[in-house]
Amino acid sequence: MAEPGTVYAGRYRLERKLGTGGMAVVWAAHDEVLGRRVAVKALHVPSEDGSRRFTREARIGAQLRHPNLVTIYDVIDEGVSVLLVMELVEGPSLAELLAARRLPPDEALGILEPVASALDAAHGAGVVHRDVKPANILVGADGRPRLADLGIATAAAATRITQSGTVLGTPAYIAPEQLEGEAATPASDVYSLAAVAFEMLAGQRARTGGDDLEIVRAVRTEPAPRLREHWPQAPAAADAVLARAMDPDPSRRPPSAGAFAGELAAALREGAAAAAPAPPPRPATTARPPGRRTRPASRAVPPPAPRRDRHRAAAVAALVLGAVAAVVAAAVLSAGGGDGGRAERDTGRAGATTTATATPGEEPTAAATAPPGAQRPPAAARAVRAFYQRAARDDFAGAWAIAGPGMRTALGGEAGLRATLQSLESIEFEQLDVTARDDAGATVAVTTVARHTDRVERCRGTVRAVRVGGRWRADTPSVHCDEISG
């Protein structure tokens, strides 16, 4: 029997027990080879054959890497048990947070959106979680949420650890099709994530009952629960998004976890904006707030991808037009109008330059000086352009509202957007074309010249645009930037 001081695989020394479940015990341990603290989950398997199959399936999850997935370092077959050696996350689970209080929308979205991004990464690799629930979402001391136990439910099903006829999963969060014995799909995880979001916002579970059988009966026979029954002030659009994500028919749910999170975020934020009192009229002046720099009137630029060794701005100011290594490469495309009718140039199509004018918070429109025959860019391209235009005129809240879930994850929050764009002075679009479309969104090819306070860069690549809540959002950037002479 394991106890503190027990050493597994000749290197993992157990320190203290973190928790016990129906089929596993989790320990905090010390890796004496690499000198780091880890978590060791010992999973009990009925047979050696089952252990081998479990190990094979669990290693699929171990191959995935994402900042919001608990990293699996090692999988060890011990015969009648399997040891998963994982990243040790010091901090509470979402279940512990929810036991104490309901989460405000911004805090709930700060957990939901990164977890949705992690699920999309898993689904892209062909892995379905099958057991998304608050207990499997860990919030580290750094505030970064991480989804745990990826692949474990799949492995358990593959090794038939559960008894015949038993549904693997947690009844309050499990999708109806899983209860009917159908194979779990990404849509099943979307349902479970929606049930988690419901609980964060409503302060109670989406499905409740006297026991598991009663909950299962409700999931099978009752329509999707409504958020406004438990939170009357909830925006109607948010209530509708959650109901659709928990629709009994998987085909009616949002197409991905990220799409669901994006739609819910848009609904909550737009609802909050509509409920907020109107701001006082702005003084008739073009002066910027004290301490803010004034940008040249008609120069344009896209920022570089965040490179942390070079002025935080160069790596950051490259914001979202690029994507980088393990985390993000964001090269920023900010163009467009400014306060008091300030003009910026942007190109809707290669070879066609138009002059844009705008008032704060609006996307510039082509002026009468546009070349004959110039066409307005498609809506997906306009969303990408508007994102950078708003950021360029320091309307960071407006830019954030147009950012898709992939962009928000890359930036690490609205504060990350603001920090990334501080060095950007202007941006000129030499190309802004939709080159591909699919059911989920569109690919926008861009070429920009971005002027920063310390450099000038030409950036080329693509920015993914997605539809969220019926509107286009600038989502995943993939851009390469080269520094050029001024």
Side-chain angles (χ1 to χ4, degrees):
M1 181 177 179
E3 58 184 21
T6 299
V7 177
Y8 281 121
R11 60 185 292 183
Y12 303 113
R13 183 177 297 277
L14 304 186
E15 295 179 344
R16 60 188 174 88
K17 188 180 294 185
L18 298 176
T20 302
M23 56 179 286
V25 178
V26 184
W27 291 81
H30 186 263
D31 181 346
E32 298 189 333
V33 174
L34 296 180
R36 64 181 175 186
R37 299 189 70 223
V38 297
V40 174
K41 174 171 282 191
L43 297 137
H44 308 299
V45 186
S47 67
E48 290 190 10
D49 179 62
S51 179
R52 285 191 295 272
R53 296 176 64 187
F54 193 103
T55 300
R56 183 171 59 251
E57 295 294 330
R59 280 176 177 158
I60 296 174
Q63 294 171 2
L64 296 176
R65 291 291 183 271
H66 187 280
N68 300 108
L69 287 175
V70 172
T71 302
I72 299 178
Y73 299 132
D74 200 359
V75 182
I76 303 168
D77 186 348
E78 290 272 304
V80 292
S81 65
V82 173
L83 304 179
L84 301 183
V85 182
M86 305 174 292
E87 170 188 11
L88 178 63
V89 180
E90 297 283 10
S93 69
L94 177 57
E96 292 171 305
L97 294 179
L98 291 175
R101 60 188 174 88
R102 181 176 77 86
L103 301 189
D106 283 349
E107 187 176 350
L109 291 175
I111 294 173
L112 177 69
E113 291 177 308
V115 171
S117 176
L119 278 174
D120 281 350
H123 296 162
V127 177
V128 178
H129 192 288
R130 297 172 59 109
D131 195 19
V132 177
K133 59 185 178 182
N136 280 336
I137 298 173
L138 309 179
V139 182
D142 58 0
R144 174 160 54 99
R146 298 166 177 84
L147 181 62
D149 281 5
L150 183 68
I152 289 181
T154 301
T159 55
R160 296 189 174 90
I161 287 177
T162 54
Q163 296 176 353
S164 177
T166 299
V167 175
L168 185 65
T170 305
Y173 310 97
I174 194 168
E177 63 270 20
Q178 290 175 265
L179 292 173
E180 300 298 334
E182 298 177 15
T185 68
S188 306
D189 283 349
V190 169
Y191 179 101
S192 299
L193 185 64
V196 171
F198 186 104
E199 186 171 349
M200 288 193 287
L201 295 169
Q204 71 171 61
R205 291 181 174 182
R207 303 290 189 182
T208 58
D211 54 32
D212 284 353
L213 287 178
E214 189 174 332
I215 295 172
V216 167
R217 189 179 303 112
V219 173
R220 279 176 161 164
T221 62
E222 296 178 4
R226 306 305 301 224
L227 178 63
R228 299 186 95 182
E229 292 181 5
H230 307 284
W231 178 25
Q233 296 78 27
D239 179 72
V241 170
L242 280 168
R244 185 161 69 91
M246 286 187 284
D247 193 292
D249 184 349
S251 68
R252 294 177 183 163
R253 298 171 199 158
S256 69
F260 157 65
E263 289 180 22
L264 184 60
L268 288 171
R269 288 176 176 135
E270 289 169 11
R282 199 168 171 185
T285 174
T286 57
R288 285 188 174 264
R292 298 297 298 274
R293 58 182 172 73
T294 300
R295 295 188 177 121
S298 59
R299 295 161 69 189
V301 202
R307 316 168 211 163
R308 296 197 173 182
D309 53 329
R310 189 187 186 224
H311 328 282
R312 172 76 181 169
V316 165
L319 168 81
V320 198
L321 238 213
V324 221
V327 195
V328 209
V332 179
L333 311 158
S334 357
D339 299 342
R342 186 188 73 190
E344 298 274 7
R345 298 188 327 168
D346 90 90
T347 302
R349 296 166 57 88
T353 301
T354 63
T355 300
T357 59
T359 56
E362 295 179 351
E363 180 186 354
T365 56
T369 55
Q375 298 180 18
R376 192 182 189 203
R382 296 201 304 272
V384 170
R385 182 180 64 184
F387 170 81
Y388 296 106
Q389 289 172 340
R390 293 189 181 193
R393 60 179 177 260
D394 295 344
D395 179 11
F396 298 114
W400 185 253
I402 307 175
M407 187 76 80
R408 290 180 173 186
T409 298
L411 292 172
E414 188 174 341
L417 164 64
R418 183 182 299 270
T420 297
L421 291 177
Q422 287 304 304
S423 73
L424 180 66
E425 292 184 333
S426 62
I427 183 172
E428 180 177 321
F429 286 80
E430 296 179 346
Q431 180 189 19
L432 184 67
D433 294 325
V434 172
T435 57
R437 296 178 185 272
D438 55 43
D439 291 342
T443 298
V444 181
V446 295
T447 301
T448 64
V449 175
R451 285 185 173 82
H452 297 266
T453 55
D454 61 344
R455 69 196 183 284
V456 179
E457 294 185 325
R458 173 170 278 108
C459 300
R460 298 181 179 86
T462 62
V463 178
R464 177 73 171 166
V466 296
R467 289 187 68 85
V468 177
R471 297 185 180 183
W472 285 98
R473 312 288 183 189
D475 199 52
T476 310
S478 179
V479 175
H480 174 74
C481 297
D482 294 308
E483 193 164 326
I484 59 178
S485 61

